[in-house]
Amino acid sequence: MFDKEAYEKRVKWFTEARFGMFIHWGLYAIPARGEWIRSTERISIEDYEPYFEEFDPVDYDPKKWAKLAKQAGMKYAVLTAKHHDGFCLFDSQLTEYKSTNTKCGRDLVREYLEAFRAEGLKVGLYYSLLDWHHPDYPKYNDWNHPMRQNPAYADEKIDFDRYLDYMHGQVRELCTNYGKLDILWFDFSYGEMKGEMWRGSELVKMVRSYQPDIIMDNRLEGGGDAFGSLVTDSPSDFCGDFVSPEQIVPPNGIRRQDGTPVVWEACVTMNNSWGYTQRDKNYKPAPMLIKKLVECVSKGGNLLINVGPDARGNIPEESVNILESVAVWMKRNSASIYGCGLSDLEKPDYGRITASADGKKIYYHVMEPQIGFVPLHGVKKEEIKKIRLLADGSELKIADSWIITSYPDLVFVSFGDSPLLPDPCDTVIEVELK
Ligand code: GLC
């Protein structure tokens, strides 16, 4: 039975945080052609083994990662504890295929959790439901497995339940050996591989028994394209707590079938790759990511921006530089992000609107310079307590000019004599209501 009150209590911090760091890291950082390389290049376990033998991230310092995330204004992070290749970044007792058995000999998850908690960030772990290393995971007829349609596996006998025992056992390890976790980010379901095929009800019940306040994504039911039963009037036991649109900002946000808003988080790469991809230099510029964060919040959602550290354990310089630029804007304007969400006011043609949860503060995000005055749609003069330029707290007086005589019901402000915006990316006006 879906407990609405418990749900809303559980997701409160998440919907206030709005902004997080996704971290895709593992053996695939060495070939540096993305985290799906075993599948896309049909690489056998044997041919992938050299990366396990070689993995030694000598520069790994999660404290640096945590400081970068915090400085950028991110309030939480999610690290891949195990991706589809089955390599565990944590000291699992259920496998030898783990970071503590590589040259580095380190429990990378434990160090990440400690470092990010120390910076005051909430901590999450991504855990792949798929496992291309485990002998009992389906191969020949699977849609994604590196050995799919390989005749050598056509008659292979596997015990999928034995894999599920392993998968549940590892999730239990993560939920019991690493302190309080705030997010468990499963990935992903496809075809028949969903829901109870993962023994989903049992898995979620077990997770909640150890981590009662944890929130989970919706991918026990689907992939980055699916909303799942969370948006229906009959959510399943494994519907998760938020919808996880991938590489898209939902055009109209995401709502339940009854029209009420649902918790969602868009996950987006900074270039076009989740795992480190050396040749992928297609980075999104900081102003674009700032505007996408504002767009997500204006539609009632979160943004999880991904970094893919390299084989040495460094976040790519391009990503660092972009996040340092995002930090400058967030330092001045984060009040329009944290604890904010969608407003009923109509989206202005020059940008977007975010609003505080109590509706008492409305943030007009001006992303396109206006000729002369800036209209503040949807608010009346008599409702307004004060108007401020959020970045520096300076007063913006309601404009009074012959130019706007024909718009008596519209409130206008001016940024002064320059035709340009004070902040060319997004100049935020804070309107506090009485
Ligand atoms: C897709 C990718 C997977 C990545 C995930 C992040 O499922 O296949 O590699 O971890 O998106 O949302």
mmCIF file of all heavy atoms in Angstrom, residues 22 24 35-36 80 83-84 126 185 187-188 219 223-224 244-246 267 274-275, ligand 1:
data_model
loop_
_atom_site.group_PDB
_atom_site.id
_atom_site.type_symbol
_atom_site.label_atom_id
_atom_site.label_comp_id
_atom_site.label_asym_id
_atom_site.label_seq_id
_atom_site.Cartn_x
_atom_site.Cartn_y
_atom_site.Cartn_z
ATOM 1 N N PHE A 22 26.322 13.318 -10.742
ATOM 2 C CA PHE A 22 26.345 11.910 -11.110
ATOM 3 C C PHE A 22 27.816 11.595 -11.404
ATOM 4 O O PHE A 22 28.501 12.437 -12.033
ATOM 5 C CB PHE A 22 25.519 11.701 -12.378
ATOM 6 C CG PHE A 22 24.770 10.398 -12.463
ATOM 7 C CD1 PHE A 22 23.846 10.202 -13.491
ATOM 8 C CD2 PHE A 22 24.963 9.351 -11.571
ATOM 9 C CE1 PHE A 22 23.131 8.999 -13.615
ATOM 10 C CE2 PHE A 22 24.261 8.152 -11.681
ATOM 11 C CZ PHE A 22 23.341 7.995 -12.704
ATOM 12 N N HIS A 24 30.141 8.554 -13.054
ATOM 13 C CA HIS A 24 30.295 7.257 -13.711
ATOM 14 C C HIS A 24 31.773 6.937 -13.813
ATOM 15 O O HIS A 24 32.522 7.647 -14.503
ATOM 16 C CB HIS A 24 29.685 7.283 -15.115
ATOM 17 C CG HIS A 24 28.219 7.038 -15.146
ATOM 18 N ND1 HIS A 24 27.286 7.950 -14.708
ATOM 19 C CD2 HIS A 24 27.520 5.946 -15.546
ATOM 20 C CE1 HIS A 24 26.078 7.434 -14.858
ATOM 21 N NE2 HIS A 24 26.181 6.236 -15.342
ATOM 22 N N GLU A 35 31.096 3.539 -21.010
ATOM 23 C CA GLU A 35 30.812 2.465 -20.043
ATOM 24 C C GLU A 35 30.110 1.274 -20.700
ATOM 25 O O GLU A 35 29.978 0.215 -20.081
ATOM 26 C CB GLU A 35 29.985 3.019 -18.879
ATOM 27 C CG GLU A 35 28.532 3.323 -19.162
ATOM 28 C CD GLU A 35 28.304 4.517 -20.103
ATOM 29 O OE1 GLU A 35 29.238 5.269 -20.383
ATOM 30 O OE2 GLU A 35 27.159 4.659 -20.551
ATOM 31 N N TRP A 36 29.686 1.390 -21.921
ATOM 32 C CA TRP A 36 29.028 0.276 -22.620
ATOM 33 C C TRP A 36 30.002 -0.471 -23.535
ATOM 34 O O TRP A 36 29.569 -1.328 -24.315
ATOM 35 C CB TRP A 36 27.848 0.814 -23.442
ATOM 36 C CG TRP A 36 26.573 0.812 -22.673
ATOM 37 C CD1 TRP A 36 26.276 1.617 -21.619
ATOM 38 C CD2 TRP A 36 25.447 -0.045 -22.869
ATOM 39 N NE1 TRP A 36 25.017 1.317 -21.151
ATOM 40 C CE2 TRP A 36 24.481 0.306 -21.894
ATOM 41 C CE3 TRP A 36 25.141 -1.057 -23.767
ATOM 42 C CZ2 TRP A 36 23.244 -0.326 -21.793
ATOM 43 C CZ3 TRP A 36 23.899 -1.694 -23.674
ATOM 44 C CH2 TRP A 36 22.970 -1.325 -22.694
ATOM 45 N N THR A 80 28.593 5.402 -9.254
ATOM 46 C CA THR A 80 28.394 4.020 -9.688
ATOM 47 C C THR A 80 29.163 3.084 -8.764
ATOM 48 O O THR A 80 30.388 3.019 -8.788
ATOM 49 C CB THR A 80 28.926 3.834 -11.125
ATOM 50 O OG1 THR A 80 30.264 4.362 -11.185
ATOM 51 C CG2 THR A 80 28.052 4.554 -12.143
ATOM 52 N N HIS A 83 28.630 -0.924 -12.292
ATOM 53 C CA HIS A 83 27.950 -0.644 -13.560
ATOM 54 C C HIS A 83 27.699 -1.964 -14.277
ATOM 55 O O HIS A 83 27.932 -3.044 -13.714
ATOM 56 C CB HIS A 83 28.753 0.353 -14.417
ATOM 57 C CG HIS A 83 27.891 1.103 -15.373
ATOM 58 N ND1 HIS A 83 27.674 0.681 -16.661
ATOM 59 C CD2 HIS A 83 27.137 2.196 -15.211
ATOM 60 C CE1 HIS A 83 26.852 1.504 -17.264
ATOM 61 N NE2 HIS A 83 26.499 2.444 -16.408
ATOM 62 N N HIS A 84 27.226 -1.899 -15.522
ATOM 63 C CA HIS A 84 26.805 -3.115 -16.212
ATOM 64 C C HIS A 84 27.949 -4.128 -16.358
ATOM 65 O O HIS A 84 27.686 -5.324 -16.475
ATOM 66 C CB HIS A 84 26.270 -2.785 -17.599
ATOM 67 C CG HIS A 84 25.208 -1.720 -17.625
ATOM 68 N ND1 HIS A 84 24.400 -1.408 -16.553
ATOM 69 C CD2 HIS A 84 24.842 -0.872 -18.626
ATOM 70 C CE1 HIS A 84 23.577 -0.421 -16.899
ATOM 71 N NE2 HIS A 84 23.814 -0.083 -18.140
ATOM 72 N N TYR A 126 24.689 4.387 -7.339
ATOM 73 C CA TYR A 126 24.083 3.776 -8.534
ATOM 74 C C TYR A 126 24.460 2.294 -8.492
ATOM 75 O O TYR A 126 25.611 1.952 -8.173
ATOM 76 C CB TYR A 126 24.683 4.449 -9.767
ATOM 77 C CG TYR A 126 24.491 3.757 -11.098
ATOM 78 C CD1 TYR A 126 23.704 4.316 -12.085
ATOM 79 C CD2 TYR A 126 25.128 2.536 -11.392
ATOM 80 C CE1 TYR A 126 23.543 3.697 -13.324
ATOM 81 C CE2 TYR A 126 24.966 1.911 -12.610
ATOM 82 C CZ TYR A 126 24.176 2.486 -13.568
ATOM 83 O OH TYR A 126 24.019 1.875 -14.783
ATOM 84 N N TRP A 185 20.205 4.253 -6.710
ATOM 85 C CA TRP A 185 19.875 4.585 -8.098
ATOM 86 C C TRP A 185 20.059 3.318 -8.949
ATOM 87 O O TRP A 185 21.138 3.037 -9.441
ATOM 88 C CB TRP A 185 20.819 5.688 -8.565
ATOM 89 C CG TRP A 185 20.308 6.744 -9.453
ATOM 90 C CD1 TRP A 185 19.966 8.017 -9.102
ATOM 91 C CD2 TRP A 185 20.100 6.669 -10.862
ATOM 92 N NE1 TRP A 185 19.569 8.747 -10.198
ATOM 93 C CE2 TRP A 185 19.630 7.937 -11.304
ATOM 94 C CE3 TRP A 185 20.241 5.653 -11.802
ATOM 95 C CZ2 TRP A 185 19.323 8.221 -12.625
ATOM 96 C CZ3 TRP A 185 19.946 5.921 -13.129
ATOM 97 C CH2 TRP A 185 19.487 7.202 -13.529
ATOM 98 N N ASP A 187 19.705 0.791 -12.165
ATOM 99 C CA ASP A 187 19.698 0.985 -13.623
ATOM 100 C C ASP A 187 19.888 -0.369 -14.285
ATOM 101 O O ASP A 187 20.891 -1.035 -13.953
ATOM 102 C CB ASP A 187 20.833 1.967 -13.996
ATOM 103 C CG ASP A 187 20.795 2.376 -15.442
ATOM 104 O OD1 ASP A 187 19.691 2.635 -15.963
ATOM 105 O OD2 ASP A 187 21.863 2.396 -16.067
ATOM 106 N N PHE A 188 19.152 -0.851 -15.209
ATOM 107 C CA PHE A 188 17.866 -0.380 -15.673
ATOM 108 C C PHE A 188 17.074 -1.632 -16.080
ATOM 109 O O PHE A 188 17.622 -2.725 -16.191
ATOM 110 C CB PHE A 188 18.020 0.589 -16.858
ATOM 111 C CG PHE A 188 18.618 -0.018 -18.116
ATOM 112 C CD1 PHE A 188 17.818 -0.387 -19.184
ATOM 113 C CD2 PHE A 188 19.986 -0.224 -18.220
ATOM 114 C CE1 PHE A 188 18.379 -0.931 -20.328
ATOM 115 C CE2 PHE A 188 20.544 -0.774 -19.373
ATOM 116 C CZ PHE A 188 19.743 -1.113 -20.431
ATOM 117 N N ARG A 219 13.812 2.786 -11.876
ATOM 118 C CA ARG A 219 14.290 1.906 -12.948
ATOM 119 C C ARG A 219 14.242 0.410 -12.625
ATOM 120 O O ARG A 219 14.750 -0.401 -13.409
ATOM 121 C CB ARG A 219 15.678 2.340 -13.416
ATOM 122 C CG ARG A 219 15.648 3.732 -14.036
ATOM 123 C CD ARG A 219 16.878 4.075 -14.802
ATOM 124 N NE ARG A 219 16.805 5.434 -15.334
ATOM 125 C CZ ARG A 219 17.732 5.961 -16.138
ATOM 126 N NH1 ARG A 219 18.787 5.244 -16.489
ATOM 127 N NH2 ARG A 219 17.609 7.203 -16.567
ATOM 128 N N GLY A 223 13.556 1.987 -18.170
ATOM 129 C CA GLY A 223 14.858 2.609 -18.385
ATOM 130 C C GLY A 223 14.729 4.116 -18.296
ATOM 131 O O GLY A 223 13.766 4.636 -17.712
ATOM 132 N N GLY A 224 15.661 4.835 -18.914
ATOM 133 C CA GLY A 224 15.638 6.299 -18.846
ATOM 134 C C GLY A 224 14.490 6.913 -19.614
ATOM 135 O O GLY A 224 14.228 8.105 -19.522
ATOM 136 N N SER A 244 13.131 9.201 -13.639
ATOM 137 C CA SER A 244 14.542 9.538 -13.943
ATOM 138 C C SER A 244 14.767 9.747 -15.449
ATOM 139 O O SER A 244 15.530 9.020 -16.094
ATOM 140 C CB SER A 244 15.444 8.407 -13.453
ATOM 141 O OG SER A 244 15.035 7.183 -14.084
ATOM 142 N N PRO A 245 14.133 10.795 -16.027
ATOM 143 C CA PRO A 245 14.350 11.070 -17.455
ATOM 144 C C PRO A 245 15.824 11.275 -17.758
ATOM 145 O O PRO A 245 16.549 11.858 -16.938
ATOM 146 C CB PRO A 245 13.545 12.343 -17.704
ATOM 147 C CG PRO A 245 13.349 12.959 -16.353
ATOM 148 C CD PRO A 245 13.289 11.830 -15.392
ATOM 149 N N GLU A 246 16.253 10.748 -18.887
ATOM 150 C CA GLU A 246 17.684 10.703 -19.199
ATOM 151 C C GLU A 246 17.980 11.473 -20.474
ATOM 152 O O GLU A 246 17.317 11.284 -21.488
ATOM 153 C CB GLU A 246 18.069 9.252 -19.383
ATOM 154 C CG GLU A 246 19.503 8.998 -19.736
ATOM 155 C CD GLU A 246 19.750 7.520 -19.827
ATOM 156 O OE1 GLU A 246 19.212 6.785 -18.975
ATOM 157 O OE2 GLU A 246 20.452 7.109 -20.759
ATOM 158 N N CYS A 267 18.754 13.254 -15.634
ATOM 159 C CA CYS A 267 20.201 13.008 -15.565
ATOM 160 C C CYS A 267 20.793 13.302 -16.942
ATOM 161 O O CYS A 267 20.275 12.851 -17.966
ATOM 162 C CB CYS A 267 20.518 11.590 -15.105
ATOM 163 S SG CYS A 267 19.760 10.258 -16.034
ATOM 164 N N TRP A 274 28.664 9.030 -20.448
ATOM 165 C CA TRP A 274 28.586 8.848 -18.993
ATOM 166 C C TRP A 274 29.965 8.483 -18.454
ATOM 167 O O TRP A 274 30.537 9.167 -17.618
ATOM 168 C CB TRP A 274 27.558 7.777 -18.646
ATOM 169 C CG TRP A 274 26.171 8.102 -19.081
ATOM 170 C CD1 TRP A 274 25.507 7.595 -20.163
ATOM 171 C CD2 TRP A 274 25.260 9.024 -18.461
ATOM 172 N NE1 TRP A 274 24.248 8.154 -20.257
ATOM 173 C CE2 TRP A 274 24.073 9.027 -19.224
ATOM 174 C CE3 TRP A 274 25.314 9.866 -17.343
ATOM 175 C CZ2 TRP A 274 22.968 9.821 -18.898
ATOM 176 C CZ3 TRP A 274 24.221 10.655 -17.023
ATOM 177 C CH2 TRP A 274 23.063 10.618 -17.792
ATOM 178 N N GLY A 275 30.522 7.399 -18.962
ATOM 179 C CA GLY A 275 31.868 7.006 -18.560
ATOM 180 C C GLY A 275 32.905 7.795 -19.349
ATOM 181 O O GLY A 275 32.614 8.300 -20.437
HETATM 182 C C1 GLC B 1 21.786 4.615 -19.487
HETATM 183 C C2 GLC B 1 23.149 4.086 -19.858
HETATM 184 C C3 GLC B 1 23.943 3.773 -18.618
HETATM 185 C C4 GLC B 1 23.997 4.977 -17.715
HETATM 186 C C5 GLC B 1 22.587 5.452 -17.432
HETATM 187 C C6 GLC B 1 22.582 6.744 -16.644
HETATM 188 O O1 GLC B 1 21.077 3.608 -18.831
HETATM 189 O O2 GLC B 1 22.981 2.927 -20.596
HETATM 190 O O3 GLC B 1 25.250 3.409 -18.992
HETATM 191 O O4 GLC B 1 24.604 4.568 -16.498
HETATM 192 O O5 GLC B 1 21.923 5.719 -18.633
HETATM 193 O O6 GLC B 1 21.239 7.158 -16.514
#
